[in-house]
Every structure is written in C-alpha cells, then in structure tokens.
Coordinates of all heavy atoms in Angstrom, one line a residue:
M833 N 0.8 -1.2 0.0 CA 0.0 0.0 0.0 C 0.9 1.2 0.0 O 2.0 1.2 0.6 CB -0.9 0.0 1.2 CG -1.8 1.2 1.3 SD -3.1 1.2 2.5 CE -2.2 1.4 4.0
G834 N 0.4 2.3 -0.7 CA 1.2 3.5 -0.7 C 0.3 4.7 -0.8 O -0.9 4.6 -1.0
I835 N 0.9 5.9 -0.7 CA 0.1 7.1 -0.8 C 0.9 8.0 -1.7 O 2.1 7.8 -2.0 CB -0.2 7.8 0.5 CG1 1.2 8.3 1.2 CG2 -1.0 6.9 1.4 CD1 1.0 9.2 2.3
A836 N 0.2 9.1 -2.2 CA 0.9 10.1 -3.1 C 0.5 11.5 -2.6 O -0.6 11.7 -2.3 CB 0.5 9.9 -4.5
V837 N 1.5 12.3 -2.6 CA 1.3 13.7 -2.4 C 1.4 14.4 -3.7 O 2.5 14.4 -4.3 CB 2.3 14.3 -1.4 CG1 2.1 15.8 -1.2 CG2 2.3 13.6 0.0
I838 N 0.3 14.9 -4.2 CA 0.3 15.4 -5.6 C 0.5 16.9 -5.6 O -0.2 17.7 -4.9 CB -1.1 15.2 -6.2 CG1 -1.5 13.7 -6.1 CG2 -1.2 15.7 -7.6 CD1 -0.6 12.8 -6.9
H839 N 1.5 17.4 -6.4 CA 1.8 18.8 -6.5 C 1.4 19.4 -7.8 O 1.6 20.6 -8.1 CB 3.3 19.0 -6.3 CG 3.7 18.9 -4.8 ND1 3.7 19.9 -4.0 CD2 4.1 17.8 -4.1 CE1 4.0 19.5 -2.8 NE2 4.3 18.2 -2.9
Y840 N 0.9 18.6 -8.7 CA 0.3 19.0 -10.0 C -0.6 17.9 -10.5 O -0.2 16.8 -10.5 CB 1.4 19.3 -11.0 CG 0.9 19.8 -12.3 CD1 0.6 21.1 -12.5 CD2 0.6 18.8 -13.3 CE1 0.1 21.5 -13.8 CE2 0.1 19.2 -14.5 CZ -0.2 20.6 -14.8 OH -0.7 21.0 -15.9
P841 N -1.7 18.3 -11.0 CA -2.4 19.6 -11.1 C -3.1 19.9 -9.8 O -3.8 19.1 -9.3 CB -3.3 19.5 -12.2 CG -3.7 18.0 -12.2 CD -2.5 17.3 -11.7
V842 N -3.0 21.1 -9.3 CA -3.7 21.6 -8.1 C -4.2 23.0 -8.5 O -3.6 23.7 -9.4 CB -2.9 21.6 -6.8 CG1 -2.5 20.2 -6.5 CG2 -1.6 22.4 -7.0
Y843 N -5.2 23.5 -7.8 CA -5.7 24.8 -8.0 C -5.1 25.8 -7.0 O -5.0 25.5 -5.8 CB -7.2 24.8 -7.7 CG -8.0 24.1 -8.8 CD1 -8.6 22.9 -8.4 CD2 -8.2 24.5 -10.1 CE1 -9.3 22.1 -9.4 CE2 -8.9 23.8 -11.0 CZ -9.5 22.6 -10.7 OH -10.2 21.9 -11.6
D844 N -4.8 27.0 -7.5 CA -4.3 28.0 -6.7 C -5.5 28.8 -6.2 O -6.7 28.5 -6.5 CB -3.3 28.9 -7.4 CG -3.8 29.8 -8.5 OD1 -5.1 29.9 -8.7 OD2 -3.0 30.5 -9.1
K845 N -5.3 29.9 -5.4 CA -6.4 30.6 -4.8 C -7.3 31.3 -5.8 O -8.4 31.7 -5.5 CB -5.8 31.7 -3.8 CG -5.0 32.8 -4.4 CD -4.5 33.7 -3.4 CE -3.7 34.8 -4.0 NZ -3.2 35.7 -3.0
N846 N -6.8 31.4 -7.1 CA -7.6 32.1 -8.1 C -8.3 31.1 -9.0 O -8.9 31.4 -10.0 CB -6.7 33.0 -8.9 CG -6.2 34.1 -8.1 OD1 -6.9 34.8 -7.3 ND2 -4.9 34.4 -8.2
G847 N -8.1 29.8 -8.7 CA -8.7 28.7 -9.5 C -7.9 28.3 -10.7 O -8.3 27.4 -11.5
A848 N -6.7 28.8 -10.9 CA -5.8 28.4 -12.0 C -5.1 27.1 -11.6 O -4.8 26.8 -10.4 CB -4.8 29.5 -12.2
I849 N -4.9 26.2 -12.6 CA -4.2 25.0 -12.3 C -2.7 25.3 -12.3 O -2.1 25.9 -13.3 CB -4.5 24.0 -13.4 CG1 -6.0 23.6 -13.3 CG2 -3.6 22.7 -13.3 CD1 -6.5 22.7 -14.4
V850 N -2.0 24.9 -11.2 CA -0.6 25.2 -11.0 C 0.1 24.0 -10.5 O -0.5 23.0 -10.0 CB -0.4 26.4 -10.1 CG1 -1.0 27.6 -10.6 CG2 -0.9 26.1 -8.7
A851 N 1.5 24.1 -10.4 CA 2.3 23.1 -9.7 C 2.7 23.8 -8.4 O 3.2 25.0 -8.4 CB 3.5 22.7 -10.5
T852 N 2.6 23.1 -7.2 CA 3.0 23.7 -6.0 C 4.4 23.2 -5.6 O 4.9 22.2 -6.1 CB 2.0 23.4 -4.9 OG1 1.9 21.9 -4.8 CG2 0.7 24.0 -5.1
S853 N 5.0 23.9 -4.7 CA 6.4 23.5 -4.2 C 6.5 22.3 -3.3 O 5.6 22.2 -2.4 CB 7.0 24.7 -3.6 OG 7.1 25.8 -4.4
V854 N 7.5 21.5 -3.5 CA 7.8 20.5 -2.6 C 8.6 21.1 -1.4 O 9.5 21.9 -1.7 CB 8.6 19.3 -3.2 CG1 9.0 18.3 -2.3 CG2 7.8 18.8 -4.4
T855 N 8.3 20.7 -0.2 CA 9.1 21.3 0.9 C 9.8 20.2 1.7 O 9.4 19.1 1.8 CB 8.2 22.1 1.9 OG1 7.3 21.2 2.6 CG2 7.4 23.1 1.2
N856 N 10.9 20.7 2.3 CA 11.7 19.8 3.2 C 10.9 19.2 4.3 O 10.9 18.0 4.5 CB 12.9 20.6 3.7 CG 13.9 19.7 4.5 OD1 14.0 18.5 4.2 ND2 14.6 20.3 5.4
L857 N 10.1 20.0 5.0 CA 9.3 19.5 6.1 C 8.2 18.5 5.6 O 8.0 17.5 6.3 CB 8.6 20.7 6.8 CG 9.5 21.5 7.7 CD1 8.7 22.7 8.2 CD2 10.0 20.7 8.9
E858 N 7.7 18.8 4.5 CA 6.7 17.9 4.0 C 7.2 16.5 3.8 O 6.6 15.5 4.1 CB 6.2 18.4 2.6 CG 5.4 17.4 1.8 CD 5.3 17.9 0.3 OE1 5.6 19.1 0.0 OE2 4.9 17.1 -0.5
I859 N 8.4 16.4 3.2 CA 9.1 15.1 2.9 C 9.3 14.4 4.3 O 8.9 13.2 4.4 CB 10.4 15.3 2.2 CG1 10.1 15.8 0.8 CG2 11.1 13.9 2.1 CD1 11.3 16.3 0.0
H860 N 9.8 15.1 5.2 CA 10.1 14.4 6.5 C 8.8 14.0 7.2 O 8.6 12.9 7.7 CB 10.8 15.4 7.5 CG 12.2 15.7 7.0 ND1 13.1 14.8 6.6 CD2 12.8 16.9 6.8 CE1 14.2 15.4 6.3 NE2 14.0 16.7 6.3
D861 N 7.8 14.9 7.2 CA 6.6 14.6 7.9 C 5.8 13.5 7.3 O 5.3 12.6 8.0 CB 5.7 15.9 8.0 CG 6.2 16.9 8.9 OD1 7.1 16.6 9.7 OD2 5.7 18.1 8.9
I862 N 5.7 13.5 6.0 CA 4.9 12.4 5.4 C 5.7 11.1 5.5 O 5.1 10.0 5.7 CB 4.6 12.7 3.9 CG1 3.5 11.9 3.4 CG2 5.8 12.6 3.0 CD1 2.1 12.2 4.0
A863 N 7.0 11.1 5.4 CA 7.8 9.9 5.6 C 7.6 9.3 7.0 O 7.4 8.1 7.1 CB 9.3 10.2 5.4
R864 N 7.6 10.1 8.0 CA 7.4 9.6 9.4 C 6.0 9.1 9.6 O 5.8 8.1 10.2 CB 7.8 10.7 10.4 CG 9.3 10.9 10.5 CD 9.6 11.8 11.7 NE 8.9 13.0 11.8 CZ 9.3 14.2 11.4 NH1 10.4 14.3 10.8 NH2 8.6 15.3 11.5
T865 N 5.1 9.8 9.0 CA 3.7 9.4 9.1 C 3.5 8.0 8.4 O 2.8 7.1 9.0 CB 2.7 10.4 8.4 OG1 2.9 11.6 9.1 CG2 1.3 9.9 8.5
C866 N 4.1 7.8 7.3 CA 4.0 6.5 6.6 C 4.6 5.4 7.4 O 4.1 4.3 7.5 CB 4.6 6.6 5.2 SG 3.7 7.6 4.0
M867 N 5.8 5.7 8.0 CA 6.5 4.7 8.8 C 5.6 4.4 10.1 O 5.5 3.2 10.4 CB 7.8 5.2 9.3 CG 8.7 4.2 9.9 SD 10.4 4.7 10.0 CE 10.4 5.4 11.6
T868 N 5.0 5.4 10.7 CA 4.2 5.1 11.9 C 3.0 4.3 11.6 O 2.7 3.4 12.4 CB 3.7 6.5 12.4 OG1 4.9 7.3 12.8 CG2 2.9 6.3 13.6
F869 N 2.4 4.5 10.4 CA 1.1 3.8 10.1 C 1.3 2.6 9.2 O 0.4 2.0 8.7 CB 0.1 4.7 9.6 CG -0.4 5.7 10.6 CD1 0.1 7.0 10.7 CD2 -1.3 5.3 11.6 CE1 -0.3 7.9 11.7 CE2 -1.8 6.2 12.6 CZ -1.3 7.5 12.6
G870 N 2.6 2.2 8.9 CA 2.8 1.0 8.1 C 2.5 1.2 6.7 O 2.2 0.2 6.0
I871 N 2.6 2.4 6.1 CA 2.3 2.6 4.7 C 3.6 2.4 4.0 O 4.7 3.0 4.3 CB 1.8 4.0 4.5 CG1 0.4 4.2 5.2 CG2 1.7 4.3 3.0 CD1 -0.1 5.6 5.2
G872 N 3.6 1.4 3.0 CA 4.9 1.0 2.4 C 5.6 2.1 1.6 O 6.8 2.2 1.8
L873 N 4.9 2.8 0.8 CA 5.6 3.8 -0.1 C 4.9 5.1 0.0 O 3.7 5.1 0.1 CB 5.7 3.3 -1.5 CG 6.7 2.2 -1.8 CD1 6.5 1.7 -3.3 CD2 8.1 2.6 -1.6
C874 N 5.7 6.2 -0.2 CA 5.1 7.5 -0.3 C 5.7 8.1 -1.6 O 6.9 8.2 -1.7 CB 5.4 8.4 0.9 SG 4.9 10.1 0.6
Y875 N 4.8 8.5 -2.5 CA 5.2 9.1 -3.7 C 5.0 10.6 -3.6 O 3.9 11.1 -3.2 CB 4.4 8.6 -4.9 CG 4.7 7.2 -5.2 CD1 3.8 6.2 -4.6 CD2 5.7 6.8 -6.0 CE1 4.1 4.9 -4.8 CE2 5.9 5.4 -6.2 CZ 5.1 4.5 -5.6 OH 5.3 3.1 -5.9
I876 N 6.0 11.4 -3.9 CA 5.9 12.9 -4.0 C 5.9 13.1 -5.5 O 6.9 12.8 -6.2 CB 7.1 13.6 -3.3 CG1 7.3 13.1 -1.8 CG2 6.9 15.1 -3.4 CD1 6.2 13.6 -0.9
V877 N 4.8 13.7 -6.0 CA 4.6 13.9 -7.4 C 4.7 15.3 -7.8 O 3.9 16.2 -7.4 CB 3.2 13.3 -7.8 CG1 3.0 13.4 -9.3 CG2 3.0 11.9 -7.3
T878 N 5.7 15.6 -8.7 CA 5.8 17.0 -9.2 C 6.4 16.9 -10.6 O 7.4 16.2 -10.8 CB 6.7 17.9 -8.3 OG1 6.8 19.2 -9.0 CG2 8.1 17.4 -8.1
P879 N 5.8 17.6 -11.6 CA 6.4 17.6 -12.9 C 7.6 18.5 -13.0 O 8.3 18.5 -14.1 CB 5.3 18.2 -13.8 CG 4.6 19.1 -12.8 CD 4.6 18.4 -11.5
L880 N 8.0 19.3 -12.0 CA 9.1 20.2 -12.1 C 10.4 19.5 -11.8 O 10.6 19.1 -10.6 CB 8.8 21.4 -11.0 CG 7.5 22.1 -11.2 CD1 7.3 23.1 -10.1 CD2 7.4 22.7 -12.6
A881 N 11.2 19.4 -12.8 CA 12.5 18.7 -12.7 C 13.4 19.2 -11.6 O 14.0 18.4 -10.8 CB 13.2 18.7 -14.0
R882 N 13.5 20.5 -11.4 CA 14.3 21.1 -10.4 C 13.8 20.8 -9.0 O 14.6 20.5 -8.1 CB 14.4 22.6 -10.6 CG 15.4 23.3 -9.6 CD 16.8 22.9 -9.9 NE 17.7 23.6 -9.0 CZ 18.7 23.1 -8.3 NH1 19.0 21.8 -8.4 NH2 19.4 23.8 -7.5
Q883 N 12.5 20.8 -8.8 CA 11.9 20.4 -7.5 C 12.2 18.9 -7.2 O 12.6 18.6 -6.1 CB 10.4 20.5 -7.5 CG 9.9 22.0 -7.6 CD 9.9 22.6 -6.2 OE1 9.3 22.1 -5.3 NE2 10.6 23.7 -6.1
R884 N 12.2 18.0 -8.2 CA 12.5 16.6 -8.0 C 14.0 16.5 -7.6 O 14.3 15.7 -6.7 CB 12.2 15.8 -9.3 CG 10.7 15.6 -9.5 CD 10.4 14.6 -10.5 NE 11.1 14.7 -11.8 CZ 10.8 15.4 -12.8 NH1 9.7 16.1 -12.8 NH2 11.5 15.5 -13.9
E885 N 14.8 17.2 -8.3 CA 16.3 17.2 -8.1 C 16.6 17.6 -6.6 O 17.4 16.9 -5.9 CB 17.0 18.1 -9.0 CG 18.5 18.1 -8.9 CD 19.2 19.0 -9.9 OE1 18.7 19.2 -11.0 OE2 20.2 19.7 -9.5
I886 N 16.0 18.7 -6.2 CA 16.2 19.1 -4.8 C 15.7 18.1 -3.8 O 16.4 17.8 -2.8 CB 15.5 20.5 -4.6 CG1 16.3 21.6 -5.4 CG2 15.5 20.9 -3.1 CD1 15.5 22.9 -5.5
A887 N 14.5 17.6 -4.0 CA 14.0 16.6 -3.1 C 14.8 15.3 -3.0 O 15.1 14.8 -1.9 CB 12.5 16.2 -3.5
E888 N 15.3 14.9 -4.2 CA 16.3 13.8 -4.2 C 17.5 14.0 -3.4 O 18.0 13.1 -2.7 CB 16.6 13.3 -5.6 CG 15.5 12.8 -6.4 CD 15.0 11.4 -6.0 OE1 15.7 10.8 -5.1 OE2 14.0 10.9 -6.5
K889 N 18.1 15.2 -3.5 CA 19.3 15.6 -2.7 C 19.0 15.6 -1.2 O 19.8 15.1 -0.4 CB 19.8 17.0 -3.1 CG 20.5 17.0 -4.4 CD 21.1 18.3 -4.8 CE 21.8 18.3 -6.1 NZ 22.4 19.6 -6.4
L890 N 17.8 16.1 -0.8 CA 17.4 16.0 0.6 C 17.3 14.6 1.1 O 17.8 14.3 2.2 CB 16.1 16.8 0.8 CG 16.1 18.2 0.6 CD1 14.7 18.8 0.6 CD2 16.9 18.9 1.8
I891 N 16.7 13.8 0.3 CA 16.5 12.4 0.8 C 17.9 11.7 0.8 O 18.2 10.9 1.7 CB 15.6 11.6 -0.2 CG1 14.2 12.1 0.0 CG2 15.6 10.1 0.0 CD1 13.1 11.7 -1.0
D892 N 18.7 11.9 -0.2 CA 20.1 11.4 -0.2 C 20.9 11.8 1.0 O 21.6 11.0 1.6 CB 20.8 11.8 -1.5 CG 22.2 11.1 -1.6 OD1 22.2 9.8 -1.7 OD2 23.2 11.7 -1.5
H893 N 20.7 13.0 1.5 CA 21.4 13.5 2.7 C 21.0 12.7 3.9 O 21.9 12.3 4.7 CB 21.1 15.0 2.9 CG 21.4 15.4 4.3 ND1 22.7 15.7 4.6 CD2 20.7 15.6 5.4 CE1 22.8 16.1 5.9 NE2 21.6 16.1 6.4
W894 N 19.7 12.3 4.0 CA 19.2 11.6 5.1 C 19.6 10.1 5.0 O 19.7 9.4 6.0 CB 17.8 11.8 5.4 CG 17.5 13.2 5.9 CD1 17.0 14.2 5.2 CD2 17.9 13.7 7.1 NE1 17.0 15.4 5.9 CE2 17.5 15.1 7.2 CE3 18.4 13.2 8.3 CZ2 17.7 15.9 8.3 CZ3 18.6 14.0 9.4 CH2 18.3 15.3 9.4
L895 N 19.7 9.6 3.8 CA 20.0 8.2 3.6 C 21.5 7.9 3.6 O 21.9 6.8 4.1 CB 19.4 7.7 2.3 CG 17.9 7.6 2.3 CD1 17.4 7.1 0.9 CD2 17.3 6.7 3.4
H896 N 22.3 8.8 3.1 CA 23.7 8.4 2.9 C 24.7 9.5 3.4 O 25.9 9.2 3.6 CB 24.0 8.3 1.4 CG 23.1 7.3 0.7 ND1 23.1 5.9 1.0 CD2 22.0 7.4 -0.1 CE1 22.2 5.3 0.3 NE2 21.5 6.2 -0.4
G897 N 24.2 10.7 3.6 CA 25.1 11.8 4.1 C 25.1 11.8 5.6 O 24.8 10.9 6.3
Y898 N 25.5 13.0 6.1 CA 25.6 13.2 7.6 C 24.3 12.9 8.3 O 24.2 12.5 9.4 CB 26.1 14.6 7.9 CG 26.1 14.9 9.4 CD1 27.0 14.3 10.2 CD2 25.2 15.8 9.9 CE1 27.0 14.6 11.6 CE2 25.2 16.1 11.3 CZ 26.1 15.5 12.1 OH 26.1 15.8 13.4
G899 N 23.2 13.2 7.6 CA 21.9 13.0 8.3 C 21.6 11.6 8.7 O 20.9 11.3 9.7
A900 N 22.2 10.6 8.0 CA 22.0 9.2 8.3 C 22.6 8.9 9.7 O 22.0 8.1 10.4 CB 22.6 8.3 7.2
Q901 N 23.7 9.5 10.0 CA 24.3 9.3 11.3 C 23.6 10.2 12.4 O 23.5 9.8 13.5 CB 25.8 9.6 11.3 CG 26.5 8.7 10.3 CD 27.8 9.3 9.8 OE1 28.2 10.5 10.2 NE2 28.6 8.6 9.0
Y902 N 23.3 11.4 12.0 CA 22.7 12.3 12.9 C 21.4 11.9 13.5 O 21.1 12.0 14.7 CB 22.6 13.7 12.2 CG 22.0 14.8 13.1 CD1 22.6 15.4 14.1 CD2 20.6 15.1 12.9 CE1 22.0 16.3 14.9 CE2 20.0 16.1 13.7 CZ 20.7 16.7 14.7 OH 20.1 17.7 15.4
N903 N 20.5 11.3 12.6 CA 19.2 10.9 13.0 C 18.8 9.7 12.3 O 18.1 9.7 11.2 CB 18.2 12.1 12.7 CG 16.8 11.8 13.3 OD1 16.4 10.7 13.6 ND2 16.1 12.9 13.6
P904 N 19.2 8.5 12.7 CA 18.9 7.2 12.0 C 17.4 6.9 11.9 O 17.0 6.3 10.9 CB 19.6 6.2 12.9 CG 20.6 6.9 13.7 CD 20.0 8.3 13.9
V905 N 16.6 7.4 12.8 CA 15.1 7.1 12.6 C 14.6 7.9 11.4 O 13.8 7.4 10.6 CB 14.4 7.5 13.9 CG1 12.9 7.4 13.7 CG2 14.8 6.6 15.1
R906 N 15.0 9.1 11.3 CA 14.6 9.9 10.1 C 15.1 9.3 8.8 O 14.4 9.2 7.8 CB 15.1 11.4 10.2 CG 14.6 12.2 9.1 CD 14.9 13.7 9.2 NE 14.0 14.2 10.2 CZ 14.1 15.5 10.6 NH1 15.0 16.3 10.1 NH2 13.2 15.9 11.6
A907 N 16.3 8.8 8.9 CA 16.9 8.1 7.7 C 16.0 6.9 7.3 O 15.7 6.7 6.2 CB 18.3 7.6 8.0
A908 N 15.6 6.1 8.3 CA 14.8 4.9 8.1 C 13.5 5.3 7.4 O 13.0 4.6 6.5 CB 14.5 4.2 9.4
A909 N 12.9 6.4 7.8 CA 11.6 6.9 7.3 C 11.8 7.3 5.8 O 10.9 7.1 5.0 CB 11.1 8.0 8.1
Q910 N 12.9 7.9 5.5 CA 13.1 8.3 4.1 C 13.3 7.2 3.1 O 13.1 7.5 1.9 CB 14.4 9.2 4.1 CG 14.4 10.4 5.0 CD 13.3 11.4 4.6 OE1 13.1 11.8 3.5 NE2 12.6 11.9 5.7
K911 N 13.6 6.0 3.5 CA 13.8 4.9 2.6 C 12.6 4.6 1.7 O 12.7 4.1 0.6 CB 14.2 3.7 3.4 CG 15.6 3.7 3.9 CD 15.9 2.4 4.7 CE 17.3 2.6 5.3 NZ 17.6 1.4 6.1
N912 N 11.4 5.0 2.2 CA 10.2 4.6 1.5 C 9.6 5.8 0.7 O 8.5 5.7 0.2 CB 9.1 4.0 2.4 CG 9.6 2.7 3.0 OD1 10.3 2.0 2.3 ND2 9.2 2.4 4.2
V913 N 10.3 6.9 0.5 CA 9.9 8.0 -0.2 C 10.4 7.9 -1.7 O 11.6 7.7 -1.9 CB 10.3 9.3 0.4 CG1 9.9 10.5 -0.4 CG2 9.7 9.4 1.8
R914 N 9.5 8.1 -2.6 CA 9.9 8.2 -4.0 C 9.5 9.5 -4.6 O 8.3 9.9 -4.5 CB 9.2 7.0 -4.8 CG 9.5 5.6 -4.3 CD 10.9 5.2 -4.5 NE 11.2 3.9 -4.0 CZ 11.5 3.5 -2.8 NH1 11.6 4.4 -1.8 NH2 11.7 2.2 -2.5
I915 N 10.4 10.1 -5.4 CA 10.1 11.4 -6.0 C 9.8 11.0 -7.5 O 10.7 10.5 -8.2 CB 11.2 12.4 -5.9 CG1 11.7 12.5 -4.4 CG2 10.8 13.7 -6.5 CD1 10.6 13.0 -3.5
V916 N 8.6 11.4 -8.0 CA 8.2 11.0 -9.4 C 7.7 12.2 -10.1 O 7.2 13.2 -9.5 CB 7.2 9.9 -9.4 CG1 7.9 8.6 -8.8 CG2 6.0 10.2 -8.6
A917 N 7.7 12.2 -11.4 CA 7.2 13.3 -12.3 C 5.7 13.3 -12.5 O 5.1 14.3 -12.7 CB 7.9 13.2 -13.6
D918 N 5.1 12.1 -12.4 CA 3.7 12.1 -12.6 C 3.1 10.9 -11.8 O 3.8 10.0 -11.4 CB 3.3 12.0 -14.1 CG 3.9 10.9 -14.8 OD1 3.7 9.7 -14.4 OD2 4.6 11.1 -15.8
F919 N 1.8 10.9 -11.8 CA 1.0 9.9 -11.0 C 1.0 8.5 -11.7 O 0.9 7.5 -11.0 CB -0.4 10.4 -10.7 CG -1.1 9.5 -9.7 CD1 -0.6 9.4 -8.4 CD2 -2.2 8.8 -10.0 CE1 -1.3 8.6 -7.4 CE2 -2.9 8.0 -9.1 CZ -2.4 7.9 -7.8
D920 N 1.1 8.5 -13.0 CA 1.1 7.2 -13.7 C 2.2 6.4 -13.3 O 2.2 5.2 -13.2 CB 1.1 7.5 -15.2 CG -0.2 8.2 -15.7 OD1 -1.2 8.0 -15.1 OD2 -0.1 8.9 -16.7

C-alpha cells in the first residue's frame, strides 16, 4: 500500500491549475507518518524537474550523508519516499 502527495495539477487561490512547491518539512513529515502507520511507499509527485532534483538531494542526505548518522530514525523513514514526475 502507498500514498501520493500530488503537487500538480492543483488549484491556486484564483482557480488556476498550477504546480506547488515540494518542501523539506513535507518530505520528513509524510515519511514519518507513513512509517508510523505502516504505509509501504510514499510518492511525492511533481512535474518540475528542479523540484525533483532538490527533493532527491534532501533524501540522499538523510540516507547516505551526515543526516543518516545524525538521525537514524529519520533516515529509516526516508527509505520509502519516491520522487516522481507524474502519478502514472
């Protein structure tokens, strides 16, 4: 079982369809929530290549960088996060 956090297509306050930003806190919070409730995978979905690149760097920091030693529980939670371009 998995969940997805969709960043596109979403509506902005004016009703226009936009892509929203992926945030560092969102990745951590959703990863820990999934780990707590036994959800196997979490997909963060954004069509924006630069947003995916930044999110992948953040996850890599927690899995392989200093973050893995600093907070092993957070590192464990990040293992089940996947950054993807679309929901398909």
Side-chain angles (χ1 to χ4, degrees):
M833 178 169 73
I835 64 168
V837 179
I838 307 293
H839 287 272
Y840 179 86
V842 296
Y843 292 107
D844 72 5
K845 66 181 180 180
N846 298 314
I849 295 175
V850 299
T852 57
S853 297
V854 177
T855 68
N856 186 28
L857 283 174
E858 163 195 349
I859 295 170
H860 297 307
D861 288 348
I862 199 71
R864 286 194 308 266
T865 300
C866 289
M867 192 166 92
T868 298
F869 291 100
I871 297 169
L873 287 173
C874 173
Y875 296 92
I876 306 290
V877 183
T878 179
L880 305 175
R882 186 69 178 131
Q883 291 278 307
R884 290 192 309 273
E885 182 182 323
I886 292 167
E888 292 288 355
K889 284 183 180 184
L890 289 167
I891 291 170
D892 186 66
H893 167 76
W894 291 105
L895 292 178
H896 308 289
Y898 174 71
Q901 298 160 358
Y902 177 76
N903 190 335
V905 174
R906 184 173 284 178
Q910 302 297 314
K911 288 180 183 177
N912 293 328
V913 176
R914 304 292 183 273
I915 310 299
V916 296
D918 57 57
F919 189 65
D920 291 335

